[in-house]
Structures are given as C-alpha cells and as structure tokens.
C-alpha cells in the first residue's frame, strides 16, 4: 500500500534534517503515496520571515518534484495542545531537540512559528486563493487541499 509523509519539505527546497531527500520523496510518489509540505517556518527557506507565498513556493517545489497527484498539505498546525503533551514529546526526542518541546518559551517563540498570513486553520481559504493565484486549476487545488489524502486513505483503509 502507498505511504504518507505527512509534514516535511524537500531537502532540495531547504536542507534541514527533518526535510526529506528528493530520492525518498520520489519513491513515496512512485508507490502512490502522498507528501504534505509543512508550513513550520523552520523547515522553509525564508525561516521566521516566511509568508503564505513562501509556503506556496514549498508546495510548488514538491509538485514539480513528485507531481500534483502526490502532494497534499501538511501544515503541522497544533492549536490548543497542552504543554504536558509537548513535554512528553520532548522526553521521546532524547537529547537531539529537548528544549524545542520542554521549554514553553523556546517552543512558542522559536519553533511554533507559521508563515505570516497562514498561521491557523482559519487561514486555509487564503491558501486556496493563493494556489489559484499561482495558476493551479480547480481540480489541482482540490487535490492539494485534501483530494490526494482522501485517495490515499481510501486505498490504504
């Protein structure tokens, strides 16, 4: 069955440890899988200065790399999650990124940033409009905003 890479960008877009190699992403697509580019600014080229336009750039890069039928959104939005959850996640990270999840101030001010103009799920209509403005047709917007995920879920489940 196909697999999902739910929230990561391509290393060829921005080379940080969490982003995936082009080879890995192409293998996911060849198997019918879906990749969801993340909107967390630390995984985008423009870092904390990222905007909705930069997130669409990350989506464009992924579409060019693996094709429109294999790209969804993987925003990594985390609203209303208690700090106890992040402390638990941090305890599972070993020593690699402990402050990211254990210290609320570090998480809030350095790690939990989303692009300006695309900061909560309430901004999803703005993403749809930005994709249209970028030249995506209606069918492709539907694929990116959830259609590809629904196909994958139907096939796997």
């Amino acid at each position: 069955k196909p697999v999902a890479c739910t929230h990561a960008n391509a290393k060829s877009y921005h080379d940080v440890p969490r982003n995936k190699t082009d080879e890995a992403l192409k293998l996911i697509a060849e198997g019918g899988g879906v990749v969801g580019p993340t909107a967390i600014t630390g995984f985008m080229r423009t870092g904390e200065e990222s905007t909705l336009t930069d997130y669409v750039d990350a989506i464009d890069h992924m579409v060019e790399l693996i094709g429109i039928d294999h790209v969804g959104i993987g925003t990594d939005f985390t609203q209303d999650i208690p700090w106890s959850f992040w402390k638990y996640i941090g305890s599972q990270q070993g020593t690699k990124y402990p402050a990211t999840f254990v210290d609320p101030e570090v998480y809030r001010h350095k790690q939990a940033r989303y692009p300006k103009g695309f900061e909560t799920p309430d901004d999803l209509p703005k993403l749809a409009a930005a994709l249209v403005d970028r030249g995506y047709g209606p069918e492709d917007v539907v694929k990116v905003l959830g259609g590809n995920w629904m196909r994958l879920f139907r096939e796997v489940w």
Side-chain angles (χ1 to χ4, degrees), residues 100-112:
T100 300
F101 298 104
V102 177
D103 182 343
E105 291 305 309
V106 171
Y107 184 79
R108 185 178 319 123
H109 296 294
K110 295 195 184 290
Q111 299 297 327

Side-chain angles (χ1 to χ4, degrees), residues 104-126:
E105 291 305 309
V106 171
Y107 184 79
R108 185 178 319 123
H109 296 294
K110 295 195 184 290
Q111 299 297 327
R113 301 248 172 133
Y114 298 101
K116 290 171 187 68
F118 192 64
E119 298 164 85
T120 72
D122 294 339
D123 292 327
L124 284 165
K126 294 178 188 175

Side-chain angles (χ1 to χ4, degrees), residues 45 53 105-106 142 145:
R45 285 182 183 153
T53 299
E105 291 305 309
V106 171
V142 168
L145 293 183

Side-chain angles (χ1 to χ4, degrees), residues 5-9 18-20 35-44 55 59 72-81 85-86 89 93 100-101 107 111-115 118-121 124 127 149:
C5 180
T6 58
H7 42 278
N9 296 327
R18 181 165 140 184
N19 288 343
K20 307 304 178 204
V35 178
T38 184
I40 289 186
T41 60
F43 306 110
M44 297 191 346
Y55 183 52
I59 292 170
I73 55 169
T75 63
D76 218 351
F77 285 143
T78 53
Q79 278 62 49
D80 303 322
I81 302 295
F85 172 80
W86 298 114
I89 294 294
Q93 299 291 317
T100 300
F101 298 104
Y107 184 79
Q111 299 297 327
R113 301 248 172 133
Y114 298 101
F118 192 64
E119 298 164 85
T120 72
L124 284 165
L127 176 59
W149 289 120

